[in-house]
Amino acid sequence: MRSTVARPEPGLFLRVFCVCVLCAPGSGGCGYALAGRGSFLPAYIRTIGIPTFTNRTTVFNLETTLTQKVRSEFIGRGKYQILPQAGDVDALLTGEVTSVSITAASFNTQQLASRYAITMTARVELRDVRAKSVLWENPSLVFRQEYEATSGQSAIDPAAFFGQDANALDRMSTDFARTIVSAILEAF
């Protein structure tokens, strides 16, 4: 039995190549965009007011850190003018930290906490000031960050807790800002 190999029609490759080259420029409007480049906000929104968030927790200065990180993330995107006030803006972003809890995440052989988890819950809303409507909101954002309690010698040593939690809060604030801005600008 002899096997035969099907040979393509002469010039078929050239025709397929030409069709691909001619159709490629028109395929750019497929609806996809690079992350961080698009915006689903109305075109007339040019200024966004981001007043300092409200802090309903006992964590000192958390609202300031979160607000600054969110403002910086918006500014880094470069498309909008970000103002710290609620008036004379096209859109208003408000936020409220509703809870922060710190719990032991793991224990060492002496049954002392060696790793902690900080969990923060917040609500954020972006309002269109002109249309008096909500453009984006999430009433129950939850962020979690873990850290090691390595610097102290015992569970009652304050050095085992303070200092590490500040780094964890800073990492969590950065993640919070990136998530919020991406969700608003990329309509996730």
Side-chain angles (χ1 to χ4, degrees):
M1 184 180 253
R2 199 168 84 172
S3 71
T4 59
V5 176
R7 297 189 185 262
E9 176 185 331
L12 180 64
F13 175 74
L14 182 59
R15 281 184 281 181
V16 171
F17 177 76
C18 288
V19 168
C20 290
V21 168
L22 291 173
C23 291
S27 67
C30 61
Y32 291 99
L34 292 174
R37 301 289 179 211
S39 176
F40 291 91
L41 298 179
Y44 59 83
I45 292 182
R46 303 228 185 267
T47 58
I48 299 174
I50 307 176
T52 303
F53 290 177
T54 304
N55 186 359
R56 304 268 183 237
T57 73
T58 58
V59 179
F60 177 71
N61 220 20
L62 179 58
E63 71 283 2
T64 304
T65 303
L66 289 172
T67 305
Q68 288 173 346
K69 296 270 186 173
V70 170
R71 287 176 185 161
S72 295
E73 188 69 23
F74 264 110
I75 291 168
R77 301 289 178 110
K79 188 170 181 173
Y80 301 98
Q81 180 183 10
I82 305 303
L83 301 174
Q85 72 256 10
D88 294 327
V89 294
D90 300 320
L92 180 63
L93 182 74
T94 56
E96 176 182 13
V97 182
T98 55
S99 70
V100 173
S101 65
I102 301 171
T103 57
S106 65
F107 298 89
N108 62 18
T109 56
Q110 292 85 25
Q111 296 303 312
L112 299 174
S114 60
R115 188 166 184 81
Y116 291 94
I118 298 177
T119 306
M120 178 186 75
T121 306
R123 68 174 57 123
V124 178
E125 177 183 86
L126 179 68
R127 296 186 70 66
D128 182 335
V129 175
R130 181 189 294 182
K132 294 183 172 81
S133 64
V134 175
L135 295 170
W136 183 88
E137 70 178 334
N138 191 328
S140 59
L141 290 159
V142 177
F143 288 83
R144 185 173 192 259
Q145 189 67 233
E146 291 189 10
Y147 64 94
E148 299 286 332
T150 56
S151 59
Q153 299 300 318
S154 71
I156 58 172
D157 185 355
F161 176 73
F162 297 108
Q164 294 298 323
D165 68 329
N167 293 332
L169 281 172
D170 189 61
R171 290 189 308 271
M172 188 168 51
S173 298
T174 300
D175 187 35
F176 174 85
R178 286 182 183 148
T179 301
I180 297 303
V181 175
S182 292
I184 290 170
L185 296 182
E186 298 166 13
F188 284 116

Coordinates of all heavy atoms in Angstrom, one line a residue, residues 45-78:
I45 N -16.0 63.3 32.4 CA -15.4 63.3 33.8 C -13.9 63.5 33.6 O -13.2 62.7 33.0 CB -15.7 62.0 34.5 CG1 -17.2 61.9 34.9 CG2 -14.8 61.8 35.7 CD1 -17.6 60.7 35.6
R46 N -13.4 64.7 34.1 CA -12.0 65.0 34.0 C -11.4 65.2 35.4 O -10.2 65.0 35.5 CB -11.9 66.3 33.2 CG -12.5 66.3 31.8 CD -11.5 66.8 30.8 NE -12.1 66.9 29.5 CZ -12.0 65.9 28.6 NH1 -11.4 64.8 28.9 NH2 -12.6 66.0 27.4
T47 N -12.2 65.6 36.3 CA -11.7 65.8 37.7 C -12.4 64.8 38.7 O -13.7 64.7 38.6 CB -11.9 67.2 38.2 OG1 -13.3 67.6 38.2 CG2 -11.1 68.2 37.4
I48 N -11.7 64.2 39.5 CA -12.2 63.3 40.5 C -11.8 63.8 41.9 O -10.6 64.0 42.2 CB -11.8 61.9 40.3 CG1 -12.2 61.3 38.9 CG2 -12.3 60.9 41.4 CD1 -11.6 60.0 38.6
G49 N -12.8 64.1 42.7 CA -12.5 64.5 44.1 C -12.4 63.2 45.0 O -13.2 62.3 44.9
I50 N -11.3 63.2 45.7 CA -11.1 62.1 46.7 C -10.8 62.7 48.0 O -9.6 62.9 48.4 CB -10.0 61.1 46.2 CG1 -10.2 60.7 44.8 CG2 -9.9 59.9 47.2 CD1 -9.1 59.8 44.2
P51 N -11.8 63.0 48.8 CA -11.6 63.5 50.2 C -11.1 62.4 51.1 O -11.2 61.2 50.7 CB -13.0 64.0 50.6 CG -13.9 63.3 49.7 CD -13.2 63.0 48.5
T52 N -10.5 62.7 52.2 CA -10.0 61.7 53.1 C -11.1 60.7 53.5 O -12.2 61.1 53.9 CB -9.4 62.4 54.4 OG1 -8.4 63.3 53.9 CG2 -8.8 61.4 55.3
F53 N -10.8 59.4 53.4 CA -11.7 58.4 53.8 C -12.1 58.5 55.2 O -11.4 59.1 56.0 CB -11.2 57.0 53.5 CG -11.0 56.7 52.0 CD1 -10.4 55.5 51.7 CD2 -11.4 57.5 51.0 CE1 -10.3 55.1 50.3 CE2 -11.3 57.2 49.7 CZ -10.7 56.0 49.3
T54 N -13.2 57.9 55.6 CA -13.7 57.8 57.0 C -13.1 56.6 57.6 O -13.1 55.5 57.0 CB -15.2 57.8 57.0 OG1 -15.7 58.9 56.3 CG2 -15.7 57.8 58.4
N55 N -12.7 56.7 58.8 CA -12.1 55.5 59.6 C -13.0 55.2 60.8 O -13.0 56.0 61.7 CB -10.7 55.9 60.0 CG -10.0 54.7 60.6 OD1 -10.5 53.6 60.8 ND2 -8.7 54.9 61.0
R56 N -13.7 54.1 60.7 CA -14.5 53.7 61.8 C -13.8 52.7 62.8 O -14.4 52.0 63.6 CB -15.8 53.0 61.3 CG -16.6 53.9 60.4 CD -17.6 54.7 61.1 NE -18.4 55.5 60.1 CZ -18.5 56.8 60.2 NH1 -18.0 57.5 61.2 NH2 -19.2 57.5 59.3
T57 N -12.5 52.6 62.6 CA -11.7 51.7 63.4 C -10.8 52.4 64.4 O -10.8 53.7 64.4 CB -10.8 50.8 62.5 OG1 -9.7 51.5 62.0 CG2 -11.6 50.2 61.4
T58 N -10.1 51.7 65.2 CA -9.2 52.3 66.2 C -7.7 52.3 65.6 O -6.8 52.8 66.3 CB -9.2 51.5 67.5 OG1 -8.8 50.1 67.2 CG2 -10.5 51.5 68.1
V59 N -7.5 51.9 64.4 CA -6.2 52.0 63.8 C -5.9 53.4 63.4 O -6.5 54.0 62.5 CB -6.1 51.0 62.5 CG1 -4.7 51.1 61.9 CG2 -6.5 49.6 62.9
F60 N -4.9 53.9 64.0 CA -4.5 55.4 63.9 C -4.0 55.6 62.4 O -3.2 54.9 61.9 CB -3.5 55.7 64.9 CG -3.0 57.1 64.7 CD1 -3.8 58.2 65.1 CD2 -1.7 57.4 64.2 CE1 -3.3 59.5 64.9 CE2 -1.3 58.7 64.1 CZ -2.1 59.8 64.4
N61 N -4.6 56.7 61.8 CA -4.1 57.2 60.6 C -4.3 56.3 59.4 O -3.8 56.6 58.3 CB -2.7 57.6 60.7 CG -2.4 58.9 60.0 OD1 -3.3 59.7 59.7 ND2 -1.1 59.2 59.7
L62 N -5.1 55.2 59.5 CA -5.3 54.3 58.4 C -6.0 55.0 57.2 O -5.7 54.8 56.0 CB -6.1 53.1 58.8 CG -6.4 52.0 57.8 CD1 -5.2 51.5 57.1 CD2 -7.3 50.9 58.4
E63 N -7.0 55.9 57.5 CA -7.7 56.6 56.5 C -6.8 57.5 55.7 O -7.0 57.6 54.4 CB -8.9 57.4 57.1 CG -8.5 58.6 57.9 CD -7.9 58.4 59.3 OE1 -7.8 57.2 59.7 OE2 -7.6 59.4 60.0
T64 N -5.8 58.1 56.3 CA -4.9 58.9 55.5 C -4.0 58.1 54.6 O -3.9 58.5 53.4 CB -4.0 59.7 56.5 OG1 -4.9 60.5 57.4 CG2 -3.1 60.7 55.8
T65 N -3.5 57.0 55.1 CA -2.7 56.1 54.2 C -3.5 55.6 53.0 O -3.0 55.7 51.9 CB -2.1 55.0 55.1 OG1 -1.4 55.5 56.2 CG2 -1.3 54.1 54.2
L66 N -4.7 55.1 53.3 CA -5.5 54.6 52.2 C -5.9 55.7 51.2 O -5.7 55.4 50.0 CB -6.8 54.0 52.7 CG -6.7 52.7 53.5 CD1 -8.0 52.3 54.2 CD2 -6.2 51.6 52.6
T67 N -6.2 56.8 51.6 CA -6.6 57.9 50.7 C -5.4 58.3 49.9 O -5.6 58.5 48.7 CB -7.1 59.1 51.5 OG1 -8.2 58.7 52.4 CG2 -7.6 60.2 50.6
Q68 N -4.3 58.5 50.5 CA -3.1 58.9 49.7 C -2.7 57.8 48.7 O -2.3 58.2 47.6 CB -1.9 59.1 50.7 CG -2.0 60.4 51.5 CD -0.9 60.5 52.6 OE1 -0.2 59.6 52.9 NE2 -0.8 61.7 53.1
K69 N -2.8 56.6 49.0 CA -2.5 55.5 48.1 C -3.4 55.5 46.9 O -3.0 55.3 45.7 CB -2.5 54.1 48.8 CG -1.4 54.0 49.8 CD -0.2 53.4 49.3 CE 0.8 53.2 50.4 NZ 2.0 52.5 50.0
V70 N -4.7 55.7 47.2 CA -5.7 55.7 46.1 C -5.5 56.9 45.2 O -5.5 56.8 44.0 CB -7.2 55.7 46.7 CG1 -8.2 56.0 45.6 CG2 -7.5 54.4 47.3
R71 N -5.2 58.1 45.8 CA -4.9 59.3 45.0 C -3.7 59.1 44.1 O -3.7 59.4 42.9 CB -4.7 60.5 45.9 CG -5.9 61.1 46.5 CD -5.6 62.2 47.5 NE -6.7 62.7 48.2 CZ -6.7 63.3 49.4 NH1 -5.5 63.6 49.9 NH2 -7.8 63.7 50.0
S72 N -2.7 58.5 44.7 CA -1.4 58.3 43.9 C -1.7 57.3 42.8 O -1.1 57.5 41.7 CB -0.3 57.7 44.8 OG 0.0 58.7 45.8
E73 N -2.5 56.3 43.0 CA -2.8 55.3 42.0 C -3.5 56.0 40.8 O -3.2 55.7 39.6 CB -3.5 54.1 42.5 CG -3.7 53.0 41.6 CD -2.5 52.2 41.3 OE1 -1.5 52.3 42.0 OE2 -2.4 51.6 40.2
F74 N -4.5 56.8 41.1 CA -5.2 57.5 40.1 C -4.3 58.5 39.3 O -4.3 58.5 38.1 CB -6.4 58.3 40.6 CG -7.7 57.6 40.6 CD1 -8.3 57.2 41.7 CD2 -8.4 57.5 39.4 CE1 -9.5 56.6 41.7 CE2 -9.6 56.8 39.3 CZ -10.2 56.4 40.5
I75 N -3.4 59.2 40.0 CA -2.5 60.1 39.4 C -1.5 59.3 38.5 O -1.2 59.8 37.4 CB -1.8 60.9 40.5 CG1 -2.7 61.9 41.1 CG2 -0.6 61.7 39.9 CD1 -2.2 62.6 42.4
G76 N -1.1 58.2 38.9 CA -0.2 57.4 38.1 C -0.8 56.9 36.8 O -0.1 56.7 35.9
R77 N -2.1 56.8 36.8 CA -2.8 56.5 35.5 C -2.8 57.7 34.5 O -3.0 57.5 33.3 CB -4.2 56.0 35.7 CG -4.3 54.8 36.7 CD -3.8 53.5 36.0 NE -3.9 52.4 36.9 CZ -4.8 51.4 36.7 NH1 -5.6 51.4 35.7 NH2 -4.8 50.4 37.6
G78 N -2.6 58.9 35.0 CA -2.4 60.1 34.2 C -3.6 60.6 33.4 O -3.4 61.5 32.7

